[in-house]
Every structure is written in structure tokens, then in C-alpha cells.
Amino acid sequence: MVWVKLVSTSLITLIMIYMIYYSLVSIKAYRGNFKIAPHHKARTKFLVLIPAVNEEAVINIPVDDLKNQKYPKKLFDVYVIADHCTDKTAMIAKKHGAKVITAEMGLNVKRHGVGKSNTLDYGLHYLGLNEWNKYKYVVVIDSDNNVASNFLQRLNDYAVEFSEPEAIQVHLDSKQGHGFIRHCQFFCVNKSFR
């Protein structure tokens, strides 16, 4: 009985240390001074992926927002990965201007499970390395999010300003209504951190 109490106390202590550490790291990150990137000429090519499963009621929201971007259309492509949908998600996405990948299209693509990450994996494998290597960045947007009209331009600004970092993370400070983005912060990972 003492052994069980000792093990459980040790585990609880480790969990507490873990939580405190990551809380302090998060607080330190938010207190940092973030450099705001100035406007740069559009030059970065984006592959925008929207994983979706039975999202017919909302899929038009991000697709329409992306169609109305203040960014050159030749510099980005929007793909909706309609994964095993039993509704009209694929048809609606296509009608609104997105390219659509469905589970039936890539029967020769090996699946690794279900869920958002596996849907994205499936979509990228379906497109193939030659296709998605044409883009500098892969952007993932949820199927129920609004996208600000300057979103891709601001991603471009940060990519150019920080010499094309390996990753750019966009943090949404707040949402209003059904997903209106009020303010975004961009975090870049420079290649020198490898």
C-alpha cells in the first residue's frame, strides 16, 4: 500500500512540475517583443489545405474568404480534403472555387488512420511530392474558420521579412460570431534554429 502511495505521489509531483514549467514558458513567450513585419511585394507561393469531414454547412466560409484574398491568385491554391464525407461538402467546396480531394480519388494512396492529421497526410500524398514542392509554405485552415482578406499577404510579409523561415505560426487572439478573426499574431521560426 505504501508503494502505491509513493508511486502516485511521484507521478502527481512530476505532472505538477511539467505543468508549472510549460505555464512559465508560455507566459515568457507572450511577454516577448514581437517584430511587426512591414508590407512586402507578394512573392511567396502558398498551398492552402482545408481538411473537412461532413462540413457542408460551413465549408463555404473559408473557401469564399480565400477566394476574396487581396493576394495574387497565381500565388496560392486552395484544396479542400473532403475525407469520407457523407454529405455535400465536396460539391459545395468545388462550387465555391476550391480544388477538391476526396477519399475515393486516391485509392492507391496508403491511409494511416483517421483524424485531421491523417486527412492532411492523405491529401499531401495524393498531391504528391512534385506538386506540393511547387509551394513555399503549406497553410492549414479549419473548415469552419473565417480568414481575414489580408491573411496571405501578411504571411508573405513575415516570410519575406524573416528570410523565409521554416515555419510561421499564426495565433488567433480572439474570435467573434462564427469565426471572425479580430487580431492575428505571427510567430516565425528562423532557419538558423535548426
Side-chain angles (χ1 to χ4, degrees):
M1 191 59 140
V2 172
W3 174 251
V4 172
K5 287 182 181 179
L6 183 64
V7 169
S8 65
T9 303
S10 298
L11 286 174
I12 291 171
T13 303
L14 286 173
I15 291 169
M16 289 291 292
I17 291 170
Y18 173 84
M19 291 173 59
I20 291 168
Y21 172 76
Y22 280 102
S23 295
L24 292 173
V25 168
S26 298
I27 290 167
K28 183 175 173 22
Y30 278 104
R31 292 185 63 211
N33 294 327
F34 300 107
K35 182 178 178 185
I36 304 298
H39 179 78
H40 290 279
K41 182 180 177 185
R43 71 176 197 200
T44 308
K45 194 159 185 184
F46 298 102
L47 169 60
V48 181
L49 299 177
I50 305 173
V53 178
N54 294 335
E55 300 285 355
E56 71 179 4
V58 294
I59 194 64
N60 65 302
I61 296 169
V63 173
D64 287 344
D65 288 348
L66 287 161
K67 185 171 60 175
N68 296 320
Q69 286 292 296
K70 296 174 183 172
Y71 196 71
K73 304 293 185 240
K74 65 182 180 180
L75 290 177
F76 71 97
D77 290 310
V78 178
Y79 283 87
V80 170
I81 307 168
D83 194 12
H84 293 95
C85 293
T86 57
D87 64 1
K88 297 177 183 173
T89 299
M91 183 183 75
I92 292 169
K94 193 171 193 173
K95 179 182 169 189
H96 285 264
K99 297 174 183 179
V100 177
I101 300 170
T102 64
E104 297 78 29
M105 293 168 67
L107 296 177
N108 60 335
V109 176
K110 186 173 184 330
R111 292 299 301 244
H112 301 286
V114 295
K116 186 185 290 188
S117 62
N118 290 301
T119 298
L120 291 167
D121 179 65
Y122 169 75
L124 288 170
H125 278 88
Y126 177 80
L127 289 173
L129 189 62
N130 291 334
E131 181 65 24
W132 57 274
N133 268 340
K134 295 176 187 174
Y135 304 94
K136 182 63 186 161
Y137 293 101
V138 175
V139 178
V140 178
I141 296 176
D142 283 346
S143 57
D144 61 349
N145 277 77
N146 273 69
V147 182
S149 62
N150 66 341
F151 176 70
L152 292 176
Q153 178 60 52
R154 293 302 291 149
L155 281 177
N156 174 78
D157 296 342
Y158 278 85
V160 173
E161 183 68 19
F162 291 99
S163 303
E164 298 183 337
E166 289 184 10
I168 302 173
Q169 178 182 348
V170 179
H171 166 73
L172 304 179
D173 275 349
S174 63
K175 288 185 175 183
Q176 295 176 339
H178 67 281
F180 177 76
I181 298 174
R182 197 172 89 179
H183 180 71
C184 291
Q185 290 180 343
F186 295 82
F187 303 94
C188 296
V189 177
N190 291 328
K191 291 180 181 178
S192 60
F193 291 127
R194 283 186 195 183

